[in-house]
Amino acid sequence: MSLTTYLRGVCFLARFKEEIIVDAYKNAGAILERAIREGEKLVKPGLPVLDLCEAVESRILEEGAQLAFPCNVSINEVAAHYTSPPEDATLIPQHAIVKIDAGAHIKGYIVDKAVSVATTQELKGLVHAAERALERALEVVKPGVCVSLIGEVIESTIRSSGFRPIINLSGHQIKRYQLHVGKTIPNFNTKNLLDRVKPGEVYAIEPFATDGVGVVVATRDAYIYRVLKPALLPKQLAEQLKKHSSLPFAARWIKGIDRTRLEKLLNHLSKRGVLASYPVLTEKSGGIVAQFETTILVTEKSYIAF
Ligand code: MN
Ligand code: MN
């Protein structure tokens, strides 16, 4: 075989593999989009949050993708990381911004998306500010752009609507089977000129807007976990958590252990470092929070949004 033929073969295989990867992202993204849209339609005061989480998750699974993490339904001053605990009785209140943040993956290629829905007219301005911030951020994304410029655009868009960005929540790089890894996309201008987005990298961009001070704090509640040391898991959990080896899971996904015992067990395992826990995050001053999020793959000249 001549060298040219060989190199052509290598190129073909590389391109073929790239196409398979992009297709996996596209399919995961399309499935996730439909699941979130369906969830969005269900949002109304009085709806059990558990029903919403389960509707989004089961739609993702029915369409043949896997869950990259539990469906988060964070309401009002709860900014992120709320998913229904087992037997959750929480209902969507009358006056609410409901953030649906979900993730789907195909063979580890993860897409992470979020939308916000306001139940009353007066909350729509805040929702719109976060949505517009994501649109404007996507207008400046291209290979070589500083992540802080993206943050600056997010911040100025949100501030020009009279709100504040949440400065300690950010977008993030995504790798295969890894949800948060590598560089971050800030929601304000960090003046960091070193981190730039590069072709081949995948990012979730997620502006958070609030009418509060713009900082989140961790609460004592956690309903989402991730396995850190699989070898130290009790047998009962090890079996059930096998398919979520590197990705977050919900306490409510674990079957066959009663609620109180499960809560204690997960708490204990987190303290021992066997599990990582993701505490529910709320806005420090009690401000209401809106979020939009999408996942992109940076290409040689532009990007593909999933
Ligand atoms: Mn998300
Ligand atoms: Mn994210």
Side-chain angles (χ1 to χ4, degrees):
M1 196 192 328
S2 79
L3 183 61
T4 333
T5 318
Y6 172 74
L7 288 177
R8 237 181 247 147
V10 169
C11 282
F12 172 77
L13 283 176
R15 236 179 297 134
F16 182 66
K17 193 181 168 218
E18 232 168 70
E19 259 172 50
I20 289 176
I21 294 172
V22 172
D23 274 351
Y25 276 118
K26 282 184 178 165
N27 288 334
I31 290 169
L32 181 60
E33 179 73 23
R34 287 193 288 272
I36 291 179
R37 291 289 162 224
E38 193 170 287
E40 204 177 345
K41 276 190 261 164
L42 297 174
V43 171
K44 61 164 193 279
L47 176 81
V49 171
L50 180 58
D51 290 3
L52 182 52
C53 292
E54 286 182 340
V56 173
E57 290 171 1
S58 53
R59 183 71 193 261
I60 292 169
L61 293 169
E62 275 160 23
E63 289 209 40
Q66 300 300 312
L67 302 173
F69 53 89
C71 176
N72 288 218
V73 174
S74 304
I75 297 174
N76 291 344
E77 75 283 0
V78 179
H81 296 172
Y82 186 93
T83 195
S84 280
E87 300 164 43
D88 189 13
T90 311
L91 306 177
I92 293 176
Q94 284 296 330
H95 184 77
I97 286 183
V98 179
K99 297 165 286 292
I100 305 175
D101 186 339
H105 77 86
I106 290 176
K107 294 187 164 59
Y109 299 109
I110 302 166
V111 178
D112 179 2
K113 279 172 180 276
V115 300
S116 292
V117 187
T119 61
T120 52
Q121 194 61 36
E122 61 164 310
L123 292 171
K124 291 204 170 140
L126 185 51
V127 167
H128 188 70
E131 185 169 28
R132 187 82 193 105
L134 178 57
E135 288 167 5
R136 294 277 319 275
L138 290 171
E139 285 166 16
V140 297
V141 173
K142 60 178 180 195
V145 79
C146 282
V147 297
S148 63
L149 175 74
I150 304 172
E152 186 187 330
V153 167
I154 290 172
E155 178 178 13
S156 64
T157 309
I158 292 172
R159 285 193 187 275
S160 70
S161 311
F163 301 108
R164 289 193 173 101
I166 291 186
I167 59 165
N168 58 343
L169 285 176
S170 56
H172 47 94
Q173 206 178 333
I174 296 175
K175 289 183 183 169
R176 194 176 186 196
Y177 287 110
Q178 290 178 291
L179 182 57
H180 293 107
V181 70
K183 290 173 263 188
T184 58
I185 307 274
N187 286 325
F188 66 106
N189 183 2
T190 54
K191 312 246 162 54
N192 166 2
L193 300 176
L194 294 172
D195 286 348
R196 293 166 184 275
V197 307
K198 291 185 187 144
E201 293 176 339
V202 175
Y203 287 94
I205 304 179
E206 46 183 317
F208 286 82
T210 181
D211 58 3
V213 292
V215 176
V216 290
V217 290
T219 67
R220 294 177 54 182
D221 304 322
Y223 310 117
I224 302 174
Y225 298 86
R226 184 166 60 89
V227 178
L228 296 178
K229 296 174 186 162
L232 298 182
L233 281 175
K235 218 169 119 203
Q236 205 174 5
L237 288 186
E239 193 57 37
Q240 296 193 53
L241 294 177
K242 234 192 262 162
K243 59 175 183 285
H244 310 293
S245 57
S246 65
L247 293 168
F249 66 90
R252 91 186 121 78
W253 292 354
I254 296 168
K255 306 296 175 202
I257 307 178
D258 80 78
R259 205 178 54 177
T260 338
R261 208 167 79 76
L262 178 63
E263 201 176 299
K264 275 193 196 137
L265 179 60
L266 294 174
N267 218 323
H268 172 72
L269 292 171
S270 311
K271 279 193 189 127
R272 282 182 53 208
V274 180
L275 299 176
S277 72
Y278 296 83
V280 173
L281 302 174
T282 61
E283 212 283 330
K284 196 177 173 185
S285 63
I288 292 186
V289 180
Q291 170 210 18
F292 276 82
E293 177 174 23
T294 199
T295 298
I296 61 161
L297 164 67
V298 183
T299 58
E300 288 299 329
K301 293 201 173 110
S302 174
Y303 66 85
I304 307 169
F306 305 115

